[in-house]
């Protein structure tokens, strides 16, 4: 009798899933690897040997971009806007989700439905009213105009995610905290937020990546080149070096590195939070 090894039929259904995962991963990684290697080539190598290894390796494409002051300024602008958007959006959404999840009051569900209706409001349709509104408040060419707008459009989904997680916290924990003299805000700050670390990590990653990749809103808000974010810088760089494809590929790869690095760190914290939550009784 073999009690330790599971039957083979239980492992077979996972093989197609693994194959699909590898195929999807290959489709995702192939353009990145092509751009990464293309940045180490000259334009003649790209046209003559687009899929082979660089021969010789041309590192000047990357070093020229890294030596550019405009590139680092755009990295700083994107980082500042992404972090500020995340802090504002997640902070407001956590407070709103706490109220929707843990307090009963008249009109709660109607108000929550009003928030969720924001998911059906396309950003592209609202771009003209947003421009007029930002101009009225003097927020054009101001990072605050991008930060507040991104936070406002990200609130509906963030509130939905956090509310569902907050409602899953047993009421006995809140009752015990109140008996120990903890105020509602104290319960939210000291107990609920630490327990909601996986959900907070998830919405934070979504906020940072969404802000980092946003192109249309910064394009409308910023006319001063010193305020441009990386997506705007990439567009300008492509126009300036339209015939230098290798350098454009190098710029694209370097623009992706900060976001990929952040996701790698955040994903580790996210998995750690999920594991801690699963092992606690």
């Amino acid at each position: 009798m073999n009690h330790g090894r599971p039957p083979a039929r239980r492992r077979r259904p996972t093989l197609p899933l693994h194959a699909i995962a590898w195929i999807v991963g290959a489709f995702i990684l192939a353009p990145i690897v092509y751009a990464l290697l293309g940045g180490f080539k000259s334009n003649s190598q790209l046209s003559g040997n687009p899929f082979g290894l660089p021969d010789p390796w041309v590192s000047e494409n990357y070093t020229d971009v890294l030596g550019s002051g405009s590139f680092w300024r755009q990295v700083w602008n994107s980082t500042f806007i992404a972090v500020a958007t995340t802090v504002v959006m997640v902070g407001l959404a956590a407070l709103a989700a706490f109220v929707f999840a843990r307090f009963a009051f008249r009109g709660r569900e109607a108000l929550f439905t009003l928030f969720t209706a924001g998911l059906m409001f396309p950003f592209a349709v609202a771009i003209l009213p947003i421009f007029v509104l930002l101009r009225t408040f003097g927020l054009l060419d101001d990072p605050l105009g991008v930060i507040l707008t991104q936070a406002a459009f990200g609130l509906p989904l963030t509130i939905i995610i956090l509310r569902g997680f907050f409602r899953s916290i047993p009421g006995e924990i809140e009752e015990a905290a109140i008996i120990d003299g903890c105020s509602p805000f104290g319960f939210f700050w000291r107990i609920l937020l630490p327990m909601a670390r996986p959900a907070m990590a998830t919405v934070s990653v979504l906020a940072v990546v969404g802000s980092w990749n946003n192109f249309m809103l910064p394009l409308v808000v910023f006319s001063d080149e010193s305020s441009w974010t990386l997506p705007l810088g990439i567009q300008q760089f492509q126009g300036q070096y339209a015939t230098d494809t290798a350098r454009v590929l190098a710029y694209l790869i370097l623009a992706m590195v900060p976001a990929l690095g952040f996701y790698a760190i955040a994903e580790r914290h996210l998995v750690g939070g999920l594991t801690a939550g699963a092992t606690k009784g």
Side-chain angles (χ1 to χ4, degrees), residues 136-204:
T136 302
F137 286 100
L139 293 177
L140 293 179
D141 274 323
D142 189 335
L144 194 61
V146 178
I147 293 168
L148 295 179
T149 305
Q150 289 184 154
F153 274 86
L155 278 175
L157 180 61
T158 309
I159 290 175
I160 292 173
I161 294 174
L162 293 181
R163 187 204 189 202
F165 197 92
F166 289 167
R167 294 185 71 176
S168 67
I169 304 298
E172 291 80 2
I173 298 178
E174 184 176 3
E175 294 174 359
I178 294 175
I179 292 175
D180 290 339
C182 192
S183 64
F185 183 78
F187 168 74
F188 166 77
W189 183 257
R190 298 178 182 178
I191 300 176
L192 199 61
L193 285 185
M195 296 183 68
R197 184 172 55 179
M200 299 291 288
T202 299
V203 296
S204 296

Side-chain angles (χ1 to χ4, degrees), residues 33-275:
V33 173
Y34 175 81
L36 176 64
L37 295 178
F40 285 104
K41 297 179 180 180
S42 62
N43 289 310
S44 59
Q45 290 185 53
L46 275 176
S47 58
N49 184 22
F51 300 108
L53 292 175
D55 184 23
W57 292 72
V58 181
S59 61
E60 286 79 6
N61 294 325
Y62 287 98
T63 56
D64 289 347
V65 174
L66 291 174
S68 171
S70 60
F71 172 78
W72 291 109
R73 184 170 61 249
Q74 292 160 13
V75 170
W76 162 252
N77 292 338
S78 294
T79 303
F80 172 74
I81 291 175
V83 172
T85 298
T86 302
V87 171
V88 173
M89 185 182 73
V90 177
L92 294 177
L95 290 170
F98 173 63
V99 173
F100 284 131
R102 313 301 295 193
F103 291 90
F105 56 91
R106 181 175 299 179
R108 181 184 68 173
E109 295 305 319
L111 185 60
F112 180 71
T113 303
L114 182 63
F115 272 99
T116 58
L119 292 174
M120 299 180 291
F121 195 63
F123 177 79
V125 175
I127 196 65
L128 181 58
I130 289 173
F131 175 81
V132 175
L133 189 64
L134 294 177
R135 184 179 60 184
T136 302
F137 286 100
L139 293 177
L140 293 179
D141 274 323
D142 189 335
L144 194 61
V146 178
I147 293 168
L148 295 179
T149 305
Q150 289 184 154
F153 274 86
L155 278 175
L157 180 61
T158 309
I159 290 175
I160 292 173
I161 294 174
L162 293 181
R163 187 204 189 202
F165 197 92
F166 289 167
R167 294 185 71 176
S168 67
I169 304 298
E172 291 80 2
I173 298 178
E174 184 176 3
E175 294 174 359
I178 294 175
I179 292 175
D180 290 339
C182 192
S183 64
F185 183 78
F187 168 74
F188 166 77
W189 183 257
R190 298 178 182 178
I191 300 176
L192 199 61
L193 285 185
M195 296 183 68
R197 184 172 55 179
M200 299 291 288
T202 299
V203 296
S204 296
V205 170
L206 293 176
V208 170
V209 173
S211 174
W212 194 272
N213 294 330
N214 197 342
F215 173 77
M216 182 178 294
L217 182 60
L219 178 65
V220 171
V221 174
F222 297 133
S223 59
D224 186 3
E225 185 176 349
S226 63
S227 301
W228 284 0
T229 57
L230 271 174
L232 297 182
I234 291 173
Q235 183 202 39
Q236 185 268 345
F237 194 85
Q238 287 177 319
Q240 183 178 356
Y241 297 95
T243 59
D244 195 347
T245 307
R247 184 170 294 190
V248 173
L249 292 177
Y251 196 101
L252 289 171
I253 290 297
L254 291 175
M256 293 170 56
V257 169
L260 292 175
F262 165 78
Y263 180 79
I265 297 173
E267 189 267 344
R268 194 182 309 123
H269 286 289
L270 175 61
V271 173
L274 289 170
T275 304

